[in-house]
Amino acid sequence: MALLTLNQINKSFNGQNAVSDLNLSIEPGAFVALLGPSGCGKSTTLRMLAGFEKVSSGSIFHGDRCLSNATTHVAPENRDFGMVFQSYALWPHMSVMENIAYPLTIKRVDRATKQKRIQEALAIVQLEPYADRSPAELSGGQRQRVALARSLVTEPEVILLDEPLANLDRHLRATMEETFRTFHKRTGATMVYVTHDQSEAMSLADQIAVLKNGQLIQWASPQSLYQQPRTAWLADFIGRGSVIRMQPSDELQPGRKVEQSLIHQQLILPHIPSQGVDVLIRPQSVCLHPSLGISAKVTQCIYRGGHFDVELSLPSGQTLLAYHDTPLAVGETLFATVQEGWSLEPDHV
Amino acid sequence: MLTASSDNQLRWLSITLFGLVVALSLLPCLRLLSEALSHWDRGLDAPLLSILQNPHTWVALQNSLYTSGLGTLISVVLGSGFAFVLTLTNIRYRALWIFCFMLPMMIPPQVTALSWLQLFGPASPILNTLGIAPALGSPQPMYSAEGIALLLGIQHAPLVFLALRSQLICLPKDLIEAAQLSGASQWRLWIDMIVPLSRNAIFAGAAIAFVSALGNFGIPAMLGIPAGYSVLPTLIYQQMAGFGNDVLSEVASLSMLIAFLVLIGMLLQQWIQQRSSYSLIGHNAQPASFRLGKWRIPTQILLCAVLCLILIAPLAALMISSVVPALGMPLTADTFTFAAYNEMVNNQGSTARAFTNSLLLASLAALLLMIITLPLGYRLMRLSLKARAVIASLIEVPYAIPGIVLAIAFILLFSRPIPIINVTLYGTLTLIFLAYLSCFLSVCLKPVMSALSQLDPALEEAAQIAGATPIQRLINIVLPLISPAVFAGGLLVFLIAVNELTVSALLWSAGNETLGVLIFNLDESGDSILASAISVLVVVLVASLMALLSLLAPRLPKGVIPWHC
Amino acid sequence: MTFKNAFALCAALSVSPLIANAQETLTLYTSQPNTDAQQTVDAFEKANPDIDVEWVRDGTTKLMTKLRAELASGVVKPDVLLIADSVTMESLAADNYLFAYQSPAREAYADSLYHPEGYYYGTKIITTGIVRHKRAPETPKSWADLTKPEYKGQLVMPSPLYSGAALIHLATLTDAPELGWNYYEQLQANGAMAQGGNGGVLKAVTSGSKPYGMIVDFLAIREAAKGSPIEFTFPTEGVSMVTEPVAIMEGSKNKAAAQRFVDFLLSKDGQALVLEQGYLPAREDAGVPAGFPQRDAIKLLPFDAASTLKSTDENKSRFSDIFGG
């Protein structure tokens, strides 16, 4: 199993930059998510990894093998990767079995091995009884699983997934996420997973690359991304929370944990500072109390099934998000304490 | 290494295909162009310029555009009307309606014109029976621009029908249901959903109908020449009657004019299609179907009436005119005779020859073009849109320019033995075969390109990831999914080629006559009854072939036989 | 079928007609109607079993275009030509494409019917006259009648742009002092329609869409004999004539066989066939077909092939200007 590296990748279409200066190093066997809003370049990056797009500059290496750079380009059919497409791309004129068998047929694998692998693949995705059906007869989730089975049947080192759960309903998504997890454990393949859904990425991936407008914002584990996002935009994109602007000071540098005392100092200020450092406060860090803490007024209270999202208005006018077990009346004045925060870099992109 | 093989395959494919396109489409055009531009040293007297200065040219150009445009409009209305009703509704006897609608296309244009003329003339058997025959010598309404346009429209309506039908079949039911759920009324559904989604196919069909109308010779020859109404193809025919020294150059110039029109039409169509393309093939969905309810009977009556008009009446007139002993005699129990059939089948050696030649040429051309157009279309899809548009237009030209002119181009190209292998193709069936390939390449390519452009690209990418080389992808993935379109293209070529007249009219020589040539010759020399007899035989032949294919249809993949659902 | 196989099959097919016959093959280009051509060829082959004739039939203009294109590329396919009019033959002779053959059979023919040096020989006398539908109100007796108001918009005639015979007819009538170009202008003013060829005129008159027409004699007389409701008249001023000449190509490789073909057409048997087919034979002593008047009753208007050739283009364009063809 080899390292998959993207070095200084740039890709432009007709003068427009789709991906700029992307550097990623993917450990063998890792489950990596490429996360970002639409148009951020994640699909383009995946397609470059697959070989459907050439790189404008930079290089892609799989171990020692150069897959793509400005002068050479290995065609997708020669990369020995697997891929699951958003639309599943099951061939309608072939049965489920034939769909899964195709990569092995191309590689001229002998019949015995081929049968064995197909059966294994069907077992992993639990579709053995459907082997002779045509894709038109299957539900969305079943088709997804066939696509998955097809991608692993040649036992590739790398499997690429392009928003595979985008077309499924919520319940199905939860089940499929489980399938992906088991799948990853069983095959041990490197998986590169493109999604715009951050909760999906957080639950599945070991490492997440967040992209925006073609540039890499942060490359970190889900926990780091959640707790220590680099920029304000990212803080907003991942998870829920409030971004509070605080007056600059020596202790308030970007990329650091901010202590309670400093936060409380800043929160009671009556105005939003014109210049300052943005600090992320997750709702889990906010405690509400009838009398202790900083005074804030409830502006909204929404039931989320199990808890309430409470939006509080601070003296400076900024909004603070908190969780609460019981409903609170709008306009009620409460007191909030914040345990910690995380200071953010300004957005460049 | 594997890397090299994939690229190599693509490269060889490209070279072979483009070599073919050059030979079949570019060379004849260039030869014509060089002929058109010859004698440049004569300045204003040069053939090209004298043609452009001649007011006849501009009148004919205008007339061509008018009749072709009006004819295309009629084709679109007729063809799409039938396509919508027969594909998207739950009308009964669907296969029968489609079969009947496709038949007019199989009747040679000059035969169609002939039967309509007889239908409306003072000697019309049907009108005489009904007692509403016009008086002797009254003007024939068909001898007019509108008459020409009407027949052009009817002749080419099946082209629009086929183009639209193959797209409508792919229209997924859930798209329609989504609109219905949003509260869309039947009308809004059609206007907002169905028409836009089928727009591409309508335009594609309209384009091929327009180009066919521009190059059509038979109908304007029969209906326009007597009225002194000339269009570009008949103008060329007249120029040829001129046989001065410059005739070939002048004819080549006129055909360049037609080619130019075709190119514009093609580019326009490409531009329109680019602005909207939807990936519809590859979606595993059932086709949409509307319930007609109380409209079913009226619709069926309407279809029946239209078919009577465009098919049954002319066919009846044709048959009647083949069983009378002499022209202009009424058909009674006494005058009924099979003498014409007897003469053609037993006495004229040309009949058997013509049938054999036409069937052979048509089937071989269809087969070969099917084999060529799939990889060709596949390769073309990989080009940039501009390059694709240019090449597609180039391929279109030999079909658009009148057959007479294409024949001249081939004569000029092939009259000498081919160098190196020293084989003379001139005067052989092979030459007509090559001319057919050149002429009908675009007919076969169009449905293929249309289908390819709608193929979900992910299907091929998935095969690429699985390790398939371009040839493997072409055979395993693209071909099975596109095969209905490929067969539809081949079938179209066959049906058009069997009746083809104008190309073989000049390229044929002893023993190589085709059915179209035979019919035209007989008619022109005054043996119209014999011509009608052969025409009836041709119609019977093709109808039988279509019926045979219908019987086979359940065994073949869906969509191959265009009129079978 | 693969491309290679199909190509091979086609190549084989194209070559096979040539290998099939061990005997001599004569190639004939003719503008006769199909049935007549078939009969002529059949009769010749019966009389000369060692010669096989392959014939190509097309309208004069199309045939000539094909021929000219071939000649321009240096290819000579036909051995003999049997086409409608002598003016075309004159132009080919002038370009040295014809072979001079002095046939012994020419003794039986009037001098005007063949080229003195033997480039071409007339085989029939085909006149152009007036045809009317039996139910038509008027009975025209002369060319001049057709300009009368009763015939307005009711006349159809073959166009010299398409038909060799019509071109000769035009040249003959415009040369005749009592008719001239004025005649054609009057016809046009009277709404006469110029249809494609003689076959088209036949169709128009028999179907009744135009009750009167100018047409070649054999077409009308033959069809009337079969029962068509038409009748043919030889106008009083006289008629024009084409002779359907036969000629041998200079580039022919089978001149001996070609000469036998010419001799056959000019022989008593050949002319008897012509008679049977319903044409007026060129040979003086061959009699007349049913429906024709006696030879001396037919008044032929004077005609000069060579001068007509010179004015061909001019005539055509002038006609085109008048009738807008």
Side-chain angles (χ1 to χ4, degrees):
Chain A
M1 293 275 285
L3 199 66
L4 188 59
T5 49
L6 290 86
N7 307 312
Q8 280 300 106
I9 301 289
N10 277 288
K11 175 71 181 170
S12 56
F13 293 106
N14 292 337
Q16 298 268 44
N17 269 356
V19 177
S20 313
D21 297 329
L22 182 64
N23 283 292
L24 282 180
S25 186
I26 301 175
E27 292 291 323
F31 193 127
V32 164
L34 298 179
L35 174 67
S38 38
C40 68
K42 56 193 193 294
S43 285
T44 311
T45 307
L46 194 76
R47 288 176 68 82
M48 284 194 280
L49 276 174
F52 296 126
E53 301 286 352
K54 297 203 175 143
V55 301
S56 303
S57 72
S59 63
I60 302 179
F61 275 83
H62 186 215
D64 292 329
R65 186 177 171 213
C66 177
L67 293 181
S68 194
N69 64 23
T71 49
T72 55
H73 182 78
V74 176
E77 47 262 41
N78 300 321
R79 293 195 183 193
D80 284 331
F81 289 171
M83 186 156 171
V84 178
F85 292 80
Q86 186 171 353
S87 61
Y88 321 135
L90 297 184
W91 300 301
H93 59 291
M94 298 190 198
S95 69
V96 164
M97 166 98 88
E98 286 163 348
N99 261 279
I100 299 176
Y102 189 71
L104 296 174
T105 315
I106 293 291
K107 288 190 164 40
R108 299 178 189 269
V109 171
D110 66 276
R111 185 180 296 189
T113 322
K114 192 156 86 170
Q115 282 295 38
K116 184 163 139 280
R117 296 245 195 117
I118 296 174
Q119 290 308 321
E120 277 172 2
L122 282 169
I124 292 183
V125 298
Q126 297 174 321
L127 282 179
E128 292 102 317
Y130 295 88
D132 293 318
R133 300 274 186 92
S134 96
E137 301 168 44
L138 303 178
S139 70
Q142 288 167 329
R143 287 186 212 164
Q144 179 58 281
R145 283 157 36 206
V146 174
L148 204 53
R150 183 176 69 187
S151 71
L152 63 83
V153 81
T154 49
E155 292 171 3
E157 280 190 28
V158 177
I159 298 184
L160 308 169
L161 302 105
D162 189 1
E163 307 215 42
L165 301 184
N167 294 341
L168 298 179
D169 66 63
R170 189 128 163 255
H171 283 294
L172 210 40
R173 253 186 255 164
T175 328
M176 288 306 296
E177 277 182 24
E178 187 52 44
T179 311
F180 284 133
R181 257 180 241 117
T182 19
F183 181 86
H184 181 231
K185 264 198 226 124
R186 244 172 104 163
T187 59
T190 311
M191 291 178 59
V192 182
Y193 188 104
V194 162
T195 179
H196 62 270
D197 184 338
Q198 44 97 14
S199 61
E200 220 171 83
M202 306 277 270
S203 73
L204 289 172
D206 301 326
Q207 288 275 94
I208 303 180
V210 184
L211 296 162
K212 183 182 175 215
N213 290 337
Q215 292 189 335
L216 180 65
I217 306 295
Q218 194 165 357
W219 169 235
S221 70
Q223 291 86 334
S224 304
L225 272 183
Y226 186 80
Q227 283 158 356
Q228 295 148 0
R230 253 188 53 219
T231 66
W233 171 83
L234 191 51
D236 204 36
F237 187 70
I238 304 257
R240 313 199 63 232
S242 337
V243 173
I244 308 286
R245 177 154 296 181
M246 304 192 180
Q247 269 178 351
S249 72
D250 292 329
E251 300 154 318
L252 202 56
Q253 296 298 325
R256 278 204 219 150
K257 184 166 154 189
V258 184
E259 297 295 335
Q260 182 177 56
S261 48
L262 185 52
I263 295 176
H264 281 212
Q265 262 178 20
Q266 294 272 358
L267 286 185
I268 51 176
L269 293 177
H271 303 291
I272 309 176
S274 50
Q275 289 250 32
V277 176
D278 288 329
V279 173
L280 168 67
I281 300 175
R282 293 286 184 203
Q284 293 89 337
S285 313
V286 180
C287 291
L288 296 178
H289 199 268
S291 49
L292 279 175
I294 300 165
S295 137
K297 207 189 237 177
V298 175
T299 51
Q300 249 203 38
C301 183
I302 303 173
Y303 186 54
R304 291 287 183 205
H307 70 264
F308 287 83
D309 276 0
V310 182
E311 270 179 38
L312 302 159
S313 175
L314 294 169
S316 61
Q318 298 186 73
T319 314
L320 185 66
L321 179 67
Y323 291 153
H324 202 254
D325 291 329
T326 54
L328 296 168
V330 171
E332 199 179 320
T333 306
L334 280 180
F335 293 88
T337 50
V338 179
Q339 259 124 35
E340 60 180 16
W342 176 263
S343 58
L344 305 165
E345 288 173 34
D347 287 327
H348 290 295
V349 176
Chain B
M1 234 224 98
L2 286 173
T3 320
S5 134
S6 237
D7 283 342
N8 256 354
Q9 275 194 356
L10 216 50
R11 204 174 302 142
W12 275 112
L13 191 65
S14 308
I15 293 176
T16 320
L17 290 173
F18 289 129
L20 262 167
V21 171
V22 163
L24 290 178
S25 301
L26 192 57
L27 270 182
C29 297
L30 285 180
R31 187 68 183 83
L32 277 178
L33 195 60
S34 75
E35 191 66 36
L37 294 176
S38 62
H39 307 301
W40 205 226
D41 46 344
R42 280 202 239 142
L44 277 177
D45 273 342
L48 180 60
L49 287 178
S50 65
I51 285 290
L52 289 177
Q53 285 169 11
N54 189 343
H56 284 292
T57 309
W58 297 104
V59 170
L61 177 64
Q62 214 173 315
N63 293 345
S64 268
L65 289 175
Y66 176 64
T67 50
S68 303
L70 190 57
T72 305
L73 201 60
I74 296 175
S75 295
V76 167
V77 167
L78 209 54
S80 50
F82 267 80
F84 282 130
V85 171
L86 294 178
T87 317
L88 290 181
T89 65
N90 62 344
I91 198 166
R92 271 196 240 137
Y93 316 121
R94 190 188 313 231
L96 183 64
W97 294 117
I98 299 179
F99 189 91
C100 290
F101 187 70
M102 295 286 297
L103 272 176
M105 198 169 79
M106 294 161 12
I107 304 175
Q110 56 276 12
V111 171
T112 310
L114 181 59
S115 26
W116 278 74
L117 279 174
Q118 287 177 338
L119 192 57
F120 283 111
S124 159
I126 295 175
L127 290 186
N128 271 316
T129 320
L130 291 175
I132 50 174
L136 213 60
S138 44
Q140 169 62 264
M142 294 305 295
Y143 286 147
S144 60
E146 287 72 27
I148 296 175
L150 176 65
L151 286 195
L152 285 175
I154 293 175
Q155 184 85 30
H156 300 128
L159 293 172
V160 178
F161 173 81
L162 282 180
L164 188 52
R165 184 174 159 74
S166 48
Q167 175 141 7
L168 287 178
I169 286 180
C170 299
L171 212 59
K173 201 172 186 181
D174 40 10
L175 283 180
I176 308 295
E177 287 175 349
Q180 281 174 323
L181 281 171
S182 322
S185 73
Q186 202 83 314
W187 272 119
R188 281 234 68 106
L189 204 60
W190 283 84
I191 298 173
D192 292 335
M193 290 243 42
I194 297 181
V195 171
L197 282 176
S198 34
R199 201 170 49 191
N200 262 4
I202 294 183
F203 277 125
I208 201 171
F210 182 74
V211 165
S212 308
L214 265 183
N216 189 307
F217 170 74
I219 290 175
M222 296 221 50
L223 300 182
I225 293 177
Y229 187 86
S230 70
V231 294
L232 286 172
T234 53
L235 186 64
I236 291 179
Y237 185 64
Q238 280 168 306
Q239 288 296 116
M240 304 235 288
F243 42 92
N245 285 331
D246 289 338
V247 67
L248 284 180
S249 316
E250 288 171 357
V251 160
S253 311
L254 281 172
S255 59
M256 283 290 106
L257 198 55
I258 299 187
F260 184 64
L261 283 177
V262 165
L263 277 170
I264 294 182
M266 287 295 309
L267 290 172
L268 191 66
Q269 190 227 347
Q270 305 272 4
W271 179 73
I272 293 175
Q273 274 194 309
Q274 258 166 262
R275 292 168 80 222
S276 55
S277 65
Y278 309 98
S279 286
L280 288 177
I281 299 188
H283 286 224
N284 299 300
Q286 305 297 321
S289 172
F290 289 95
R291 314 194 71 81
L292 283 172
K294 64 177 192 286
W295 288 104
R296 185 186 281 194
I297 305 288
T299 314
Q300 282 175 196
I301 292 180
L302 181 65
L303 289 185
C304 201
V306 173
L307 277 177
C308 266
L309 208 58
I310 66 176
L311 176 70
I312 300 188
L315 268 185
L318 191 66
M319 283 194 269
I320 291 176
S321 65
S322 71
V323 291
V324 290
L327 283 176
M329 289 182 70
L331 178 65
T332 65
D334 296 327
T335 56
F336 186 94
T337 170
F338 280 119
Y341 291 94
N342 187 39
E343 169 74 24
M344 288 316 296
V345 171
N346 295 329
N347 293 358
Q348 293 275 338
S350 52
T351 309
R353 271 202 313 267
F355 266 97
T356 316
N357 288 338
S358 280
L359 284 174
L360 189 67
L361 284 172
S363 10
L364 281 181
L367 267 166
L368 194 58
L369 284 176
M370 285 200 287
I371 296 173
I372 293 177
T373 47
L374 180 62
L376 182 62
Y378 182 71
R379 188 67 189 87
L380 281 177
M381 290 306 289
R382 258 146 239 305
L383 295 176
S384 73
L385 281 168
K386 273 204 199 118
R388 198 189 313 167
V390 167
I391 296 190
S393 309
L394 181 64
I395 293 178
E396 191 77 27
V397 172
Y399 179 70
I401 59 179
I404 300 177
V405 178
L406 185 68
I408 292 180
F410 270 81
I411 291 177
L412 291 171
L413 274 175
F414 287 101
S415 51
R416 298 274 168 82
I418 302 174
I420 304 171
I421 50 176
N422 215 38
V423 163
T424 311
L425 284 182
Y426 181 73
T428 63
L429 214 56
T430 315
L431 187 60
I432 304 183
F433 179 67
L434 289 177
Y436 276 12
L437 287 183
S438 167
C439 192
F440 297 125
L441 182 58
S442 74
V443 172
C444 200
L445 189 61
K446 259 209 160 49
V448 171
M449 292 287 286
S450 177
L452 280 172
S453 67
Q454 290 174 39
L455 195 60
D456 184 3
L459 290 176
E460 219 198 317
E461 287 176 351
Q464 264 183 299
I465 285 286
T469 62
I471 304 274
Q472 283 172 319
R473 296 199 301 267
L474 196 57
I475 299 177
N476 296 143
I477 308 294
V478 179
L479 176 60
L481 291 174
I482 301 295
S483 64
V486 173
F487 274 105
L491 205 57
L492 218 55
V493 168
F494 178 82
L495 292 176
I496 297 180
V498 142
N499 285 322
E500 194 287 317
L501 163 67
T502 46
V503 170
S504 42
L506 276 189
L507 290 181
W508 75 286
S509 62
N512 291 336
E513 62 266 72
T514 61
L515 284 171
V517 168
L518 186 61
I519 295 173
F520 192 75
N521 267 348
L522 287 170
D523 188 62
E524 202 203 22
S525 58
D527 284 320
S528 300
I529 302 179
L530 296 180
S532 302
I534 295 276
S535 306
V536 171
L537 287 178
V538 168
V539 173
V540 167
L541 169 74
V542 186
S544 317
L545 281 172
M546 284 173 69
L548 185 65
L549 285 171
S550 291
L551 285 175
L552 287 176
R555 317 255 181 92
L556 298 168
K558 199 166 147 179
V560 169
I561 313 287
W563 58 86
H564 183 89
C565 32
Chain C
M1 195 184 282
T2 65
F3 179 50
K4 265 196 239 155
N5 284 350
F7 189 82
L9 181 63
C10 280
L13 277 170
S14 55
V15 165
S16 60
L18 303 170
I19 334 175
N21 312 305
Q23 44 197 45
E24 257 190 288
T25 308
L26 202 60
T27 306
L28 165 71
Y29 275 18
T30 179
S31 61
Q32 279 184 307
N34 281 56
T35 38
D36 298 335
Q38 183 75 57
Q39 282 176 337
T40 310
V41 164
D42 286 342
F44 174 75
E45 283 179 341
K46 203 163 163 203
N48 298 272
D50 56 326
I51 304 180
D52 222 29
V53 180
E54 285 187 344
W55 53 278
V56 170
R57 190 271 160 202
D58 216 330
T60 310
T61 48
K62 292 222 290 294
L63 198 59
M64 290 316 299
T65 310
K66 201 202 296 243
L67 183 60
R68 289 254 170 213
E70 292 168 10
L71 292 173
S73 306
V75 165
V76 179
K77 282 218 81 187
D79 300 301
V80 273
L81 302 177
L82 180 61
I83 56 180
D85 65 290
S86 45
V87 174
T88 313
M89 290 300 195
E90 277 293 329
S91 81
L92 286 172
D95 291 336
N96 296 320
Y97 285 126
L98 298 182
F99 172 70
Y101 166 58
Q102 299 284 6
S103 169
R106 73 187 185 284
E107 309 292 330
Y109 290 80
D111 286 342
S112 57
L113 290 172
Y114 60 92
H115 192 282
E117 284 165 62
Y119 283 116
Y120 57 86
Y121 294 85
T123 57
K124 311 175 176 70
I125 296 176
I126 301 175
T127 68
T128 299
I130 303 177
V131 62
R132 67 177 272 277
H133 194 283
K134 282 208 170 120
R135 282 196 284 137
E138 304 292 327
T139 308
K141 296 243 177 331
S142 66
W143 293 118
D145 280 345
L146 296 175
T147 57
K148 293 206 185 116
E150 298 86 71
Y151 296 90
K152 192 168 180 70
Q154 309 280 297
L155 178 71
V156 61
M157 55 191 195
S159 167
L161 304 174
Y162 297 98
S163 158
L167 182 60
I168 305 291
H169 186 65
L170 175 70
T172 310
L173 287 193
T174 50
D175 276 342
E178 66 264 33
L179 297 167
W181 279 103
N182 187 40
Y183 178 65
Y184 276 91
E185 280 160 16
Q186 283 180 312
L187 281 180
Q188 194 273 335
N190 214 19
M193 190 161 76
Q195 188 101 8
N198 285 286
V201 173
L202 182 67
K203 271 208 306 276
V205 177
T206 52
S207 70
S209 55
K210 294 281 175 194
Y212 312 98
M214 291 186 194
I215 201 172
V216 285
D217 52 24
F218 70 92
L219 266 185
I221 296 179
R222 226 164 42 177
E223 292 297 308
K226 282 194 239 163
S228 229
I230 57 176
E231 68 185 15
F232 185 81
T233 318
F234 290 85
T236 51
E237 294 99 329
V239 290
S240 68
M241 166 189 89
V242 291
T243 59
E244 197 151 279
V246 59
I248 303 177
M249 296 296 290
E250 175 67 43
S252 163
K253 299 202 173 51
N254 299 307
K255 293 206 175 68
Q259 288 168 352
R260 282 160 69 184
F261 189 76
V262 173
D263 292 335
F264 171 77
L265 289 182
L266 299 176
S267 69
K268 273 215 159 124
D269 288 335
Q271 291 289 294
L273 176 64
V274 163
L275 186 70
E276 208 181 292
Q277 287 173 335
Y279 298 89
L280 189 57
R283 205 175 162 118
E284 295 277 334
D285 53 0
V288 298
F292 274 79
Q294 288 305 312
R295 273 175 202 272
D296 33 29
I298 302 172
K299 186 176 167 196
L300 292 172
L301 288 168
F303 169 73
D304 180 346
S307 75
T308 304
L309 174 63
K310 287 203 189 65
S311 44
T312 293
D313 284 338
E314 195 192 308
N315 283 344
K316 278 188 187 168
S317 89
R318 195 162 169 186
F319 182 89
S320 180
D321 286 337
I322 297 177
F323 282 87

